[in-house]
Amino acid sequence: MGIKSWLTDFVSLIFPDVCEVCDSTLVHGEKMLCLHCMYDIPRTKLHKDSFSEIHKRLAGNIPINKAASFFYYYKENPYARMIQKAKYNNRPRLAFDLAEMFAGEIQPDGFFNDIDTIIPVPIHWVKELKRGYNQSRKIAEGISSVTGIPVADNLIAARSHATQTRRSSFERWLNTRSIFAVENPEELDHKHILIVDDVITTGATLLRCAEAIHTAAPTATISVATLAFTRPT
């Protein structure tokens, strides 16, 4: 056993890794979630449906080609806390690891086969400076690490906007008007773009991103993927 491995085992003994959902101590081979919680993830499996709940929620002027979301998001569900930790508790690695797990599960179904570029939903630079990272960028990087698809930064938040939390559908729609812009749109022409975010609630943010890309690069094909999808309990 090497020194590095010995030190890792020693640190784990003093500060054991615990499951992000149930707080039980993880055993060798488990990462982030214990086997029980990993099995119980409320997976949506919506990527297998050519016209899923996601497509219906995002129905509008911009056609969405493929859509995927890892698990259903319920307010009191312990799995929802992982999204909250990744976004607000300075846990960017959690977003990355969840995205890796998600991508690894749906890749065998061919979801990523014709995707050219991954674009994360951007946040304004002031907000990113305060938070220290963009959780959607970490999700994009996690998917990229599994699929090898490059992550692009063509989509930017041209202006800041208030948090979407606790806003109605109409308020979310108003809050996201004209906040996204596309740089170097020629790079996206004739490409299949996968827009990624953490959660789909009303879909207003993803729709605004899709609209911005479609306006700037009308020949692009757009698909979406998120870690979670809200659904009435």
Side-chain angles (χ1 to χ4, degrees):
M1 180 182 292
I3 294 177
K4 183 177 180 180
S5 179
W6 182 86
L7 287 173
T8 299
D9 290 343
F10 178 75
V11 172
S12 296
L13 181 65
I14 305 301
F15 304 104
D17 291 329
V18 298
C19 176
E20 295 288 350
V21 173
C22 70
D23 293 327
S24 63
T25 301
L26 297 181
V27 300
H28 182 71
E30 293 178 336
K31 179 183 178 182
M32 184 172 54
L33 298 175
C34 67
L35 289 178
H36 176 76
C37 289
M38 184 177 294
Y39 179 81
D40 283 346
I41 294 173
R43 293 169 173 83
T44 73
K45 299 183 180 179
L46 293 174
H47 65 284
K48 297 182 178 182
D49 191 342
S50 61
F51 190 68
S52 69
E53 296 174 73
I54 301 175
H55 289 94
K56 294 172 185 176
R57 191 166 299 182
L58 298 179
N61 298 325
I62 310 304
I64 301 300
N65 186 280
K66 296 190 285 189
S69 197
F70 192 10
F71 58 87
Y72 286 111
Y73 184 100
Y74 305 108
K75 187 175 181 181
E76 302 304 326
N77 190 295
Y79 291 93
R81 291 200 296 270
M82 294 192 294
I83 301 294
Q84 295 158 6
K85 291 177 187 176
K87 190 169 185 176
Y88 300 114
N89 291 14
N90 195 29
R91 298 286 304 281
R93 183 70 198 191
L94 181 54
F96 181 94
D97 289 343
L98 281 169
E100 275 195 327
M101 183 185 298
F102 176 35
E105 289 193 10
I106 69 173
Q107 186 176 35
D109 295 322
F111 182 82
F112 301 105
N113 284 357
D114 56 350
I115 303 293
D116 297 304
T117 304
I118 304 170
I119 293 185
V121 170
I123 59 177
H124 193 262
W125 68 269
V126 173
K127 182 179 290 186
E128 185 166 353
L129 187 64
K130 291 179 179 178
R131 185 176 296 169
Y133 59 95
N134 174 9
Q135 73 282 354
S136 294
R137 171 79 191 192
K138 296 301 177 183
I139 294 167
E141 291 172 354
I143 294 174
S144 177
S145 73
V146 173
T147 63
I149 301 169
V151 178
D153 293 315
N154 299 73
L155 190 64
I156 63 169
R159 66 175 179 82
S160 185
H161 69 288
T163 179
Q164 297 280 67
T165 306
R166 292 187 294 277
R167 290 177 180 268
S168 68
S169 297
F170 182 66
E171 288 171 335
R172 286 171 183 260
W173 180 81
L174 288 176
N175 195 38
T176 55
R177 285 187 303 175
S178 305
I179 69 168
F180 300 113
V182 174
E183 295 182 333
N184 304 313
E186 69 281 358
E187 297 176 354
L188 305 183
D189 274 326
H190 304 288
K191 296 291 182 66
H192 190 164
I193 309 300
L194 180 67
I195 306 174
V196 301
D197 202 6
D198 51 1
V199 184
I200 298 176
T201 305
T202 65
T205 299
L206 282 173
L207 277 174
R208 292 303 191 191
C209 290
E211 289 169 359
I213 292 174
H214 181 75
T215 299
T219 60
T221 300
I222 299 173
S223 292
V224 300
T226 66
L227 291 182
F229 179 73
T230 60
R231 192 185 200 187
T233 54

